[in-house]
Structure formats: structure tokens, C-alpha cells
Amino acid sequence: MKITLHVWRQKNATSKGGMETYVVDGVSADMSFLEMLDMLNEQLIAEGKEPIAFDHDCREGICGTCSLMINGVAHGPDSGTTTCQLHMRSFQDGDAIHIEPWRSRAFPVIRDLVVDRSAFDRIIQAGGFISINAGGAQDANNLPIPKPDSDAAMDAAACIGCGACVASCPNGSAMLFVAAKIGHLAHLPQGQPERAMRARNMVAQMDAEGFGACSNHYECEAVCPKEIPVKFIAKMNRDFMKASLCSES
Amino acid sequence: MAFQLDPKIPSGPLEEKWTKHRFDMKLVNPANKRKFRIIVIGSGLAGGAAAASLGELGYNVDCFCFQDSSRRAHSIAAQGGINAAKNYPNDGDSIWRLFYDTIKGGDYRAREANVYRLAEVSNNIIDQCVAQGVPFAREYGGLLDNRSFGGAQVSRTFYARGQTGQQLLLGAYQSLQRQVARGSVTMHVRSEMLDVVVVDGHARGIIVRNLITGEITRHAGDAVLICSGGYGNVFYLSTNAMGSNVTAAMRAHKRGAGFANPCFTQIHPTCIPVSSEHQSKLTLMSESLRNDGRVWVPKKAGDNRAPNDIPEDERDYYLERRYPSFGNLVPRDVASRAAKERCDAGFGVGATKLAVYLDFKDAIERLGEDVIRARYGNLFQMYEKITAENPYKVPMRIFPAVHYTMGGLWVDYNLMTTVPGLFALGEANFSDHGANRLGASALMQGLADGYFVAPYTVGDYLARHGSLQAKDKVKTDHPAFDEAEKGVRDRLQKLMSIQGKQSVDSFHKKLGLLLWNHCGMGRTREGLEKALSEIPRLREEFWQDVRIPGEANEFNPELEKAGRVAEFFDFAETMCLDALNREESCGGHFREEHQTEEGEALRHDDEFAYAAVWEYKGEGQKPDLSKEKLEFENVKLTTRSYK
């Protein structure tokens, strides 16, 4: 296949970026999207040009490192798939593909297609945990958890923290990410003692990082590679409201 | 001068060693803990758990990772599960049995005392993870579910769908972020450790490159923990993440840490086969698939019919044929070698003929497609995304791939390397898996080291050797930091100045292929000698002709890769030398000269029941070999048989 790529190039956080056009020939349908970019980079290096910087690591859809807006869609055209698991058989010979970084005020560009997602870590630091030190936990089976609760917690915990939800949201909202962590812990008995505080603090941090609010576009759910449902946002809102109304401080 | 290897195994009966040792270790008074700074390299299960636990205890911790968040370490990709000796199913499991299975599975090349401790703390890990909110799979009664995994005859594996590693890592990550918020841990992301600083024989700091700005910084500490994972990417194609590397361990090695058993690499039997030369990585299909899938090849060599057109009596279910009692559930090393044997003999399938079938037809007929979907749905989906074939209808094609490395930095019972104050945890050390790791044991070891071993043993080291007074501490203006930083800068400068013609990846691919051919699933004296003569030539070419675009003082992924590949070259030589030295077959190390008449691995316990520990002597110099003799006081060495 012969593919024309229009790629966002930006030297560093402070410089101005722009789209540049490249042609890659000899792309096979069995290649992954990132292998196609590897091929382009090898070509650029051979021509004495600077390769395109993009984030990636596990290349099996679980670490959450890879990103990319592909033709305006976070992680590209396949639903429930990260960019690293997208294969070129989803495209046709002669296609033109536009590749941009995640776009959000809270995710500043580092270089080309690489962005800074450290805001997500700071949101977790605000309360996305259960306060327990290593050592001395009771026997695991002393705390039976109904399977439906455990399964619901796992549905939310499947979030890989890639940031596609933010990138695709017209408001740059991180609510699906935050709701996934709050929902994971709120469905478990271990998460109850800190439940109200967690919702309050994580939402406050989300706002402080400059993420927008949710206005029910549901673009996040559509692009989420782990298909985390937006119902967790409704649950988070309920937790947040309750925590705000019942707050003692 | 060879190493004086003292494993520091506590005296007394096996089951009392750890308890006794915990009492014998010295403690750091709570008010003094904050006077110590501990450096942790890596934020996976071992590093993340250690950094969080040490922070909880009140130490100051600096944790470094090359990823953009500590949540992304490659522990996250483990699918199948984590073992523990809980015996919840009442099927005869015990700490002793988990210990025994691990020693036997490792083909009697691991240290008994360490392995027993691992089995002992395995139960604490499950308790800890549940308390953190890890959503393990449960039964309808609300209790934890277990499954049988990777050749174990008991059900001792806990799991969270096909994402166990992810959920355990998120548990450690959350604990770590809690400590970051408390101020006890400082997290340095997109930071790569490029050297260890050793002062008066003790590890006292590291040199780090900021991957965004290229800035080189010095960090002093009272102890350094290497938790940087394994070296599987030396083969280029592996199931490791693209960034996984041996740099931290290799730098430690070059500063005096012995490297043990580098030839012990695990080739996982069930991976998606290579499809083209552009392949950048290999994807594992969880071993749990072998619980229901049957492995076969056509009985006729070169049979090009579609798999569903080959009738039952023309199929060779070779694992069931060769190993009637374990069948498709034989351990990883045995299953991988058997696949290679069939493919080498011309029975391989698919376009490349380097694949065998893993067939779910019988399981679907017996249990129904819904049950199979509930068990393996996410794996089947992943397979279909990569290959565009539907495994519910067509058998999967699988082939072995490099997955895990049992070798690593030599450590004593306290997880300390041959350099005092320098510790190695998780896959980065060599201690628990011998020559072959059992399924669902990597996660167990990473968390055991991080949550339950290092917090005690590092404290003991600090209580004995740490300086409480600020004036006695090594500071970053010490000449040893000057020397180490200069070395790092010179090496980066040298790489940038080559400006040759070939890309970093092209060298990495050549090195990887060379090792796969000569130090992969089957090894011979001739092949290893060939590799040992080729590696220096290829390394020379790398240092003459590699092309790295851009600058050193900016975000430069090609420069990062070049630094890692340079270390892989040096490491590869030691790996091949170790494979050449070990004139026996055991676990993942199969020397074709040493096999039984049936083609099974043939150990030579009288000569090789030792850990081979290599001491670095400089580039191009042959490293020195020291031996830690392995004493087996509690298990009898037998030939592993899965027939």
C-alpha cells in the first residue's frame, strides 16, 4: 500500500508546530500502525531528517503510553483498540491519513506527537488510592465481595490512563478517567472509608489541572480503548454531590 | 580476582529461616528513617512496591522510570495471574508445595532459601493486594477464585480477567502516588539512569538523563535499588515493551555487581508468530489458553491444507503424544522446545512454517462458545486484531518467543548485589526462578521483593552501614560523581558524533537475529562461538556507523535507543559466554550436545549445580567467572519428567 501522511511536527513545547506531508510506500496490511510509523522514521533517518517522535511502549494495548489522533479520532478508526493494536488493514491503498497529538490545554505537547500527561498522576495523588501500608492486611477471604460488585469494579479499573477521553472531548474533560478510578474504588468495600473525600479531592484536582467539565457528548466512551462506559461519570457525579452536601469541613 | 560470594543464607530449618532472619536484622529507629535517602530505579511491581513501602516506613525515596508515568512499567502486560499458597480450593497446596514446584520447575538451579521465602510471603501478597482494592476474580459467594496455571497440578493462581499484571501494578502505583502526595517519595518520570556511583565500595548515587531536556543530573542516596526488569529485548523481538532495557543492570555490572546466569532466558510457547521483517514486537497469548486449547501440527511434513481440512487422524497432537500425563500443560521450556522440534523437522504451519496450531475446537464442542468467550474473550479478540483470523473458527497459530529472563544481577539472601548498598529486585535479579520460571510466578516475585523483603533488608543495611549525620554522607560534589557524570557525557557525545549511515534499529535487529539463531531455543558450542566472534564485529560497526539524528540536549528517542543497544552489545557477549560455559541443558538453556535419547534436557548436577556469576573486566575483555554452589538440603534432585 502507498499511504500519504499529514503529521503534526513541533520541535519542543515552546516552538510553533505545523502539519507536514510524507509518503510511505510498501506498507503491508499486516503491519501495525506504529510499525508503519517506524518504517517512515527509518526512511527519514536514511534521508538525514529528524524522525517523528511518538509515545509507545508495550505495543499490546495495555500500558496506555501510545496516543495519536488519527483522522481526528483518538486511537483511530477501530473501536475498543489502542493505536498500537491498530493494523494497516484498516486502511486502503492510496489513503491520506492525518496524525495529530492529543489536544488539550492540560496535556502540553513535548515534541511532535508526544504530550505531557502528568496531570493524571496528580489526580491520582489527590485520592485515587486506598490508604493502607504494606504488611498486616487481613486474610483476603475474610472480606467476601459480591461478584457483581467485584466485576463492576474491574470494569472501571480496566482504564489504562491513555488520555483518549480527554483528547476526544470538545471540552477537554477528564471525567471518564477520574470516574473510572473513583468508580473502581467506590464499588469495593475497601474503598468506602475514603469514598467521599476521594471524590471531592480528585474532582478538585481535575479542575485545578485545567480539564473541562462534562456536557454529555459521550465522545470519550466512543473512543475509549477499554470501552469504559459513561455510567461511571453519573456515579461519580452522585458521589461528588453527596460528598459536597454531606461535607463536614 | 574472583568474587567472594556469600549468599548469607540464615542458619536453621528452611521454614524458620525468614522468621529468624527478620529478628536478627537490625532496625532503623523511626525518627532516623527520614535521615536516609533511598534511590529506586524502575517503577514496576518490584520498584513501585519497594518505593511505596519504603516511603510508608518513613524513608525518603527517589524513584526513577523512563516511562511518562510510573503506572506504565511492563509488569502491566502480565496476563495470566499470580501464584500464592493459600490452598483456598483445598486441593493439597501448601507453602512447601509451592516452594517445591518452583525449585523443580526451575530445574534445580535456584537457591532453596530464597525460593522458600518467596512461597512463604506469597500469601501476604494476596492479602495486601485485596486490601488495596485489586479486583481479583471472585466466585458468586464473594470469595476469591483460583485457577490452575502453567503446569501446576493445584489451583493456586489468582487473576483479574486477562489483566492481572495491570491490576497489581495499579495497586502498587496507587500506593506509590499516595506516598508522592505525602512527600516521602519523589517520582522522576521520563528519566533514565545511566550510571551508578560507587564510593569506598558502597553504592551512593546515580547519574540520570532527563529524557525531555537531555539534562544530566546527579542523585546521592544511602542505598540504590535496581528494579529495572529483564534483558529480553537483547533479542530485539520479544514480548517485552519497546523501552525495556538492560542499561541499569549493566551499568551496575560494570561498577562491580556480579551478573548471574545470563544465559537463562525463557522462551514462552504461546505467542503470535512473526509475520514480516517489519515486526517490532511479539505478542503473548496467555498460557492459560493451554488449559483448553490443544496443540497440534499435521502428521505430514509440508502439508499445505487449511487446518480445518486436515482430518483428525492426520493431526499430530505432539504434546499429548510425548507427555501423556501433563499433555498440553507441560511447562514453558518443554512446550517451546517441542514446537521448535516439530518446525525444524518440517511440520510447521502457516506462511512462514514457523508456527503450530492451538486449537479450541474440542473445548468449544464440549463447553460451548460462550464459556470459551467468558474465559478467553479478550485474548481471542486480541488475536483476531493482530492476525485478522477468527480463533473461534480457525485454530490459532502460535510460536515461541522470548518472554522473561531468569538470569540477572547476583544477590544474596538480602537481595544485595556484590556491591554493598546496591540491591536488585524482581526480574532484575537472578534469585528465585533458576533456569525456568513457572507461570504466574513473576508477579509473585516482584511484589514479594518489593513489599515484603526489601523493606526489611534495606533497613538492616542502613542500620549497619548508613551514616546518620549529614556531614558523613556522600554528596553530589564528590569526585566519584564527577567521574561518573563525565563518563556518561562522554558516551553520549561519542554516540552523537558518529553520524554514520545505519539506524539504531537496524543494528538492534541484526544483534537480535544473531542471538535468536545461536543463543535462543537451541544452543551449540559451534553456534555460540560464531555469535561470540560476530558480536564484537557488529559492535565495532555500530560504534563506527550508527546514525543518530538531532541533539543530545533535547527529546531524542533515537539517542535513548542507541544507548540501550550499546549496552545490549556488551551484555550479549556475557550471555553467550555463559551459555558456552554451561555444558548441560537445564530449563530454558538447551545445549543440543546435552540431551537424552528422547530429546529431553540433560542436566549435569555434579558439574553445574551452581550459579555462574560473571565479573566485568572491561570492553572486549573476558569476564571472570565465580561460582555459587547451590546446596539442596530439602529437595532431592531428580530429572524433571512430565511424561
Side-chain angles (χ1 to χ4, degrees):
Chain A
M1 297 198 285
K2 189 171 177 177
I3 305 281
T4 304
L5 295 171
H6 303 284
V7 185
W8 182 263
R9 301 303 306 263
Q10 182 174 336
K11 184 131 182 81
N12 54 44
T14 51
S15 64
K16 197 169 173 303
M19 299 299 281
E20 290 201 19
T21 302
Y22 306 93
V23 176
V24 217
D25 207 350
V27 174
S28 97
D30 287 332
M31 272 183 185
S32 74
F33 195 83
L34 296 183
E35 283 164 358
M36 184 271 295
L37 285 182
D38 290 342
M39 190 174 160
L40 170 60
N41 275 346
E42 288 291 299
Q43 191 179 308
L44 291 174
I45 293 167
E47 291 166 6
K49 294 178 185 157
E50 294 225 1
I52 299 160
F54 58 92
D55 261 330
H56 64 102
D57 200 28
C58 78
R59 297 205 178 187
E60 48 188 281
I62 193 75
C63 75
T65 309
C66 67
S67 51
L68 306 187
M69 294 299 278
I70 299 166
N71 289 336
V73 181
H75 290 304
D78 272 14
S79 64
T81 306
T82 55
T83 293
C84 67
Q85 294 284 73
L86 177 65
H87 280 70
M88 292 311 292
R89 67 180 76 92
S90 299
F91 299 90
Q92 312 246 319
D93 187 27
D95 273 2
I97 305 174
H98 287 74
I99 310 176
E100 299 165 88
W102 282 170
R103 300 265 187 214
S104 165
R105 185 173 47 171
F107 287 164
V109 171
I110 291 173
R111 186 183 181 124
D112 297 340
L113 304 169
V114 176
V115 299
D116 177 356
R117 287 171 286 198
S118 55
F120 273 12
D121 285 341
R122 290 188 293 274
I123 293 173
I124 299 295
Q125 285 157 26
F129 48 75
I130 286 167
S131 295
I132 169 146
N133 289 354
Q138 65 169 349
D139 186 89
N141 259 354
N142 281 355
L143 186 69
I145 301 174
K147 185 169 160 54
D149 292 352
S150 175
D151 285 349
M154 182 64 213
D155 289 342
C159 170
I160 58 175
C162 63
C165 45
V166 175
S168 63
C169 176
N171 307 333
S173 171
M175 282 178 85
L176 190 61
F177 167 76
V178 181
K181 187 44 66 194
I182 288 178
H184 158 209
L185 299 174
H187 273 96
L188 297 170
Q190 305 93 301
Q192 299 313 311
E194 297 168 287
R195 183 171 178 175
M197 192 169 66
R198 179 180 305 117
R200 252 196 334 263
N201 293 346
M202 288 182 73
V203 170
Q205 188 63 36
M206 174 182 82
D207 291 342
E209 296 289 346
F211 292 105
C214 173
S215 50
N216 300 314
H217 284 267
Y218 298 168
E219 294 279 345
C220 53
E221 184 184 72
V223 300
C224 176
K226 297 297 148 186
E227 302 179 317
I228 300 194
V230 290
K231 72 175 184 203
F232 286 109
I233 296 182
K235 291 182 179 200
M236 173 180 77
N237 284 337
R238 207 154 58 216
D239 271 15
F240 180 71
M241 283 296 285
K242 201 169 152 194
S244 309
L245 293 171
C246 304
S247 164
E248 284 175 19
S249 56
Chain B
M1 191 189 77
F3 288 122
Q4 298 298 315
L5 298 170
D6 177 4
K8 302 214 174 74
I9 299 167
S11 58
L14 190 61
E15 52 272 54
E16 289 166 26
K17 286 184 194 293
W18 180 231
T19 307
K20 178 177 175 298
H21 191 58
R22 279 194 293 172
F23 179 72
D24 290 343
M25 281 189 282
K26 291 185 77 171
L27 300 173
V28 179
N29 153 350
N32 282 341
K33 289 200 174 85
R34 61 176 172 268
K35 294 178 182 163
F36 291 112
R37 183 162 290 279
I38 299 166
I39 291 170
V40 179
I41 295 139
S43 65
L45 289 184
S53 305
L54 291 163
E56 288 160 6
L57 286 170
Y59 295 105
N60 296 297
V61 179
D62 279 297
C63 182
F64 298 81
C65 68
F66 71 79
Q67 297 90 345
D68 76 328
S69 165
S70 56
R71 67 180 292 154
R72 309 211 195 277
H74 200 57
S75 307
I76 206 162
Q79 296 167 354
I82 177 166
N83 286 333
K86 285 284 193 187
N87 193 31
Y88 286 154
N90 196 30
D91 57 357
D93 201 8
S94 63
I95 290 170
W96 192 273
R97 190 177 292 279
L98 176 53
F99 154 74
Y100 177 80
D101 286 355
T102 307
I103 286 279
K104 178 188 172 201
D107 222 352
Y108 307 98
R109 291 294 175 263
R111 192 190 287 150
E112 276 191 345
N114 285 55
V115 177
Y116 189 86
R117 176 178 62 193
L118 175 68
E120 196 177 343
V121 303
S122 68
N123 292 338
N124 302 88
I125 295 171
I126 302 305
D127 300 341
Q128 181 64 27
C129 292
V130 166
Q132 287 172 339
V134 170
F136 283 122
R138 288 177 183 271
E139 307 272 11
Y140 279 97
L143 300 180
L144 291 159
D145 188 23
N146 290 117
R147 64 181 172 199
S148 153
F149 194 82
Q153 290 180 312
V154 291
S155 293
R156 61 160 73 102
T157 303
F158 295 77
Y159 64 101
R161 295 194 187 147
Q163 292 121 284
T164 317
Q166 179 200 28
Q167 293 308 314
L168 297 177
L169 184 63
L170 291 181
Y173 162 74
Q174 289 167 202
S175 292
L176 182 59
Q177 294 304 319
R178 173 171 163 250
Q179 294 309 310
V180 172
R182 277 186 60 206
S184 59
V185 176
T186 306
M187 195 63 223
H188 306 260
V189 300
R190 294 201 196 262
S191 297
E192 184 160 18
M193 180 276 226
L194 293 179
D195 212 351
V196 185
V197 178
V198 178
V199 177
D200 297 332
H202 288 249
R204 287 291 177 250
I206 58 170
I207 306 292
V208 172
R209 180 169 180 268
N210 177 318
L211 299 182
I212 298 175
T213 62
E215 189 191 0
I216 307 291
T217 51
R218 306 172 176 198
H219 301 265
D222 300 282
V224 177
L225 278 55
I226 308 260
C227 313
S228 53
Y231 47 81
N233 266 357
V234 70
F235 291 92
Y236 184 71
L237 284 179
S238 80
T239 66
N240 285 9
M242 300 301 286
S244 301
N245 65 80
V246 77
T247 301
M250 203 58 196
R251 296 315 303 179
H253 180 47
K254 290 177 177 177
R255 290 283 177 188
F259 210 112
N261 301 333
C263 78
F264 289 167
T265 50
Q266 177 162 82
I267 316 277
H268 195 292
T270 54
C271 298
I272 300 178
V274 175
S275 71
S276 79
E277 61 184 288
H278 297 292
Q279 192 109 13
S280 60
K281 86 150 263 160
L282 298 172
T283 302
L284 179 82
M285 291 279 100
S286 170
E287 186 159 25
S288 60
L289 291 171
R290 286 197 280 141
N291 286 344
D292 286 307
R294 297 178 71 194
V295 178
W296 64 275
V297 292
K299 277 186 180 162
K300 198 173 84 198
D303 191 333
N304 284 323
R305 287 176 290 176
N308 290 336
D309 295 340
I310 300 177
E312 200 58 35
D313 61 351
E314 293 178 42
R315 299 175 175 197
D316 176 18
Y317 294 92
Y318 59 87
L319 288 177
E320 297 168 25
R321 167 171 61 78
R322 285 178 66 177
Y323 308 101
S325 76
F326 276 68
N328 294 294
L329 293 174
V330 291
R332 291 174 178 180
D333 54 337
V334 177
S336 291
R337 268 199 303 279
K340 178 183 188 303
E341 188 276 328
R342 283 292 82 190
C343 293
D344 286 352
F347 296 89
V349 301
T352 60
K353 301 288 173 206
L354 287 175
V356 299
Y357 291 124
L358 179 62
D359 197 339
F360 293 87
K361 182 170 66 77
D362 292 347
I364 289 172
E365 275 170 18
R366 190 175 73 244
L367 303 164
E369 199 172 305
D370 288 346
V371 173
I372 295 300
R373 192 179 309 271
R375 284 185 191 167
Y376 312 110
N378 61 333
L379 297 169
F380 277 40
Q381 186 198 22
M382 183 153 84
Y383 181 84
E384 188 166 1
K385 275 190 199 309
I386 292 173
T387 62
E389 285 175 3
N390 176 357
Y392 294 100
K393 305 286 176 221
V394 184
M396 283 184 179
R397 283 174 296 111
I398 54 161
F399 196 67
V402 176
H403 176 56
Y404 185 90
T405 55
M406 286 73 67
L409 294 172
W410 182 88
V411 290
D412 62 17
Y413 188 71
N414 295 315
L415 305 183
M416 192 154 82
T417 67
T418 51
V419 176
L422 184 66
F423 293 77
L425 280 61
E427 192 180 352
N429 76 28
F430 88 111
S431 73
D432 293 354
H433 306 296
N436 174 55
R437 180 176 65 74
L438 290 180
S441 283
L443 303 180
M444 173 171 70
Q445 189 220 340
L447 290 180
D449 290 358
Y451 285 135
F452 298 112
V453 181
Y456 295 91
T457 60
V458 172
D460 178 62
Y461 166 78
L462 294 173
R464 289 173 199 274
H465 303 286
S467 309
L468 284 170
Q469 304 299 324
K471 66 176 173 53
D472 301 329
K473 288 190 188 276
V474 172
K475 302 192 185 55
T476 54
D477 58 3
H478 190 282
F481 275 95
D482 295 341
E483 183 264 332
E485 181 179 329
K486 183 174 183 304
V488 166
R489 286 186 185 279
D490 288 352
R491 205 160 47 248
L492 291 169
Q493 179 52 38
K494 193 174 163 195
L495 284 169
M496 290 306 303
S497 66
I498 300 166
Q499 293 302 323
K501 290 195 186 59
Q502 304 176 61
S503 70
V504 178
D505 279 359
S506 67
F507 282 105
H508 197 175
K509 285 180 185 179
K510 279 185 233 172
L511 175 66
L513 190 63
L514 183 68
L515 293 174
W516 178 247
N517 287 338
H518 300 301
C519 199
M521 273 190 286
R523 301 156 178 192
T524 61
R525 166 166 290 277
E526 191 192 357
L528 290 165
E529 281 171 349
K530 183 169 184 325
L532 280 166
S533 72
E534 286 284 309
I535 294 166
R537 197 193 53 72
L538 202 55
R539 174 173 52 208
E540 177 76 13
E541 194 182 327
F542 171 84
W543 284 102
Q544 297 290 328
D545 198 35
V546 72
R547 172 179 287 185
I548 304 165
E551 310 288 335
N553 61 354
E554 63 177 356
F555 188 81
N556 190 338
E558 290 298 311
L559 177 59
E560 292 168 30
K561 284 195 283 185
R564 293 168 192 160
V565 171
E567 298 294 346
F568 279 135
F569 271 115
D570 294 348
F571 173 76
E573 262 188 311
T574 313
M575 184 168 90
C576 292
L577 209 56
D578 188 44
L580 189 61
N581 171 69
R582 194 167 279 278
E583 290 275 2
E584 65 165 348
S585 294
C586 59
H589 171 67
F590 191 74
R591 281 287 298 271
E592 290 176 9
E593 303 94 328
H594 304 277
Q595 52 183 309
T596 63
E597 279 174 16
E598 294 105 15
E600 303 295 341
L602 187 62
R603 287 197 327 262
H604 298 307
D605 293 331
D606 44 343
E607 287 175 85
F608 290 98
Y610 65 77
V613 187
W614 299 90
E615 182 179 8
Y616 187 74
K617 290 289 178 191
E619 188 183 309
Q621 305 292 312
K622 195 174 173 209
D624 265 1
L625 173 64
S626 304
K627 299 172 185 177
E628 180 200 340
K629 190 169 181 334
L630 299 168
E631 307 285 353
F632 293 93
E633 294 166 352
N634 299 280
V635 297
K636 200 168 150 284
L637 275 64
T638 56
T639 300
R640 282 162 79 213
S641 171
Y642 297 94
K643 283 189 189 297

